[in-house]
Amino acid sequence: MPNSNAKFHCNHRGGQEAGRRELVSRSLQSAQHCLEDQDFGTAYAHYLLVLNLAPELKASVKETFQFTLFKWAEELDSLARIQDLFNCYEQALELYPNDEVICNSMGEHLFRMGFRDEAAGYFHKAVKLNPDFADAKENFYRVANWLVERWHFIMLNDTKRNLTYLNAIENAVRSGCKSVLDIGTGTGILSMFAKKAGASSVYACELSKTMYELARDVVAANNMEREIKLLHLKSLDIEIPKHIPERVSLVVTETVDAGLFGEGIVESLIHAWEHLLLQPM
């Protein structure tokens, strides 16, 4: 009897495997027929089924899948089916999470729809995955020109300003402020000043996805990625100990532009500082 049961289960598994191979084969044939008829939506659905049933085929169908995805996305875009378009790219990136071509294409759609910060994130990821991907690099620089305000470059080249901040931060750290939070870190320069001054813990938050990614690159280029914790968050959304383990003893920020005078901005900053700063004894 045990031998009979084992034989039954073996035959059952063999039947399942044969059924899977048959379904995969039929779906691939159907996808090809749909492509010939330019029925890209149905072809895309068939490829999703194939890749979920037979992930071992990812490499062999990758280029055809990409072609099908991009053609179907163009149709969805023209029909203003934006959520369906995004869903398709999310499904594609689940199957190919490290595909720079799909990331770049997703970024292009986001950019055309006006989601420039989100687009920059996908372009940046594509460049990280393949530094020689010319289209992604061009797209990232183009969107960065929209998002990085010109005054950033003026400030970063203002030696007098930078030395003033450096001296102030050094004085604060020497006086006992060993944990620092940089609100709106931008390129991360104030955070790096704090770390170089001897702060034991440095945290930095940045709302803009583009500036956050830029800060990560700048901090890494200065070999401080393990010493400065960067958060893609608004300062008001930072929670202790969820995001940072402690109240800090020093807050640094340079949010002194026209936005500072907007309704509620000053009050919001004060609230954030009170929430995150150590209370005086």
Side-chain angles (χ1 to χ4, degrees), residues 128-143:
K128 284 288 189 183
L129 290 167
N130 182 1
D132 297 324
F133 190 5
D135 288 349
K137 287 198 289 188
E138 181 180 345
N139 284 332
F140 180 68
Y141 294 144
R142 179 160 54 102
V143 74

Side-chain angles (χ1 to χ4, degrees), residues 28 59 61 77 98-99 109-110 124 126 133 137-139 170 192-193 212 218 222 232 237 241 248 252 261 279:
L28 282 172
V61 304
D77 194 6
N98 295 319
D99 188 289
H109 281 287
L110 287 165
H124 185 266
F133 190 5
K137 287 198 289 188
E138 181 180 345
N139 284 332
E170 285 179 341
M192 291 187 291
F193 283 170
Y212 167 74
V218 172
N222 285 272
H232 181 216
D237 293 334
V248 297
V252 295
F261 301 100
Q279 300 300 310

Side-chain angles (χ1 to χ4, degrees), residues 55 63 76 119 135 154-155 160 170 173 228 248 273:
E63 290 187 9
L76 292 173
D135 288 349
I154 297 172
M155 290 194 310
K160 182 178 179 180
E170 285 179 341
V173 172
I228 297 173
V248 297
W273 295 344

Side-chain angles (χ1 to χ4, degrees), residues 4-215:
S4 298
N5 288 335
K7 185 175 180 180
F8 171 78
H9 289 302
C10 183
N11 290 336
H12 180 65
R13 285 195 298 271
Q16 284 184 323
E17 177 59 22
R20 182 186 74 91
R21 287 198 300 265
E22 177 68 17
L23 181 55
V24 168
S25 177
R26 288 180 177 275
S27 293
L28 282 172
Q29 292 175 11
S30 296
Q32 189 59 45
H33 291 319
C34 289
L35 287 179
E36 292 170 0
D37 296 336
Q38 296 190 347
D39 183 359
F40 299 114
T42 306
Y44 175 76
H46 279 299
Y47 277 119
L48 280 184
L49 177 61
V50 167
L51 290 168
N52 278 287
L53 286 175
E56 67 273 12
L57 296 179
K58 282 184 180 180
S60 61
V61 304
K62 179 179 177 179
E63 290 187 9
T64 310
F65 175 77
Q66 288 175 342
F67 172 80
T68 307
L69 167 67
F70 299 155
K71 286 295 186 181
W72 179 225
E74 287 176 7
E75 286 191 23
L76 292 173
D77 194 6
S78 68
L79 295 170
R81 292 171 57 183
I82 305 305
Q83 189 57 55
D84 288 336
L85 185 154
F86 288 152
N87 289 341
C88 286
Y89 272 97
E90 287 175 1
Q91 291 167 341
L93 286 170
E94 286 180 6
L95 292 167
Y96 296 96
N98 295 319
D99 188 289
E100 69 273 18
V101 178
I102 295 177
C103 286
N104 183 65
S105 180
M106 176 65 159
E108 289 176 338
H109 281 287
L110 287 165
F111 184 77
R112 285 196 294 270
M113 294 173 191
F115 300 108
R116 291 169 180 160
D117 207 26
E118 293 82 356
Y122 281 97
F123 293 145
H124 185 266
K125 181 178 179 180
V127 173
K128 284 288 189 183
L129 290 167
N130 182 1
D132 297 324
F133 190 5
D135 288 349
K137 287 198 289 188
E138 181 180 345
N139 284 332
F140 180 68
Y141 294 144
R142 179 160 54 102
V143 74
N145 283 331
W146 284 93
L147 293 171
V148 180
E149 300 288 350
R150 298 296 94 189
W151 49 262
H152 273 288
F153 302 105
I154 297 172
M155 290 194 310
L156 288 171
N157 287 284
D158 187 340
T159 303
K160 182 178 179 180
R161 162 196 167 275
N162 292 338
L163 287 175
T164 300
Y165 269 99
L166 177 59
N167 291 333
I169 292 171
E170 285 179 341
N171 289 336
V173 172
R174 278 197 297 265
S175 70
C177 296
K178 296 298 184 180
S179 55
V180 180
L181 172 66
D182 180 6
I183 293 180
T185 191
T187 59
I189 188 171
L190 299 186
S191 296
M192 291 187 291
F193 283 170
K195 196 62 194 178
K196 287 182 178 180
S200 57
S201 303
V202 179
Y203 313 101
C205 63
E206 174 57 55
L207 180 59
S208 164
K209 178 67 172 176
T210 303
M211 294 307 298
Y212 167 74
E213 296 290 356
L214 179 60

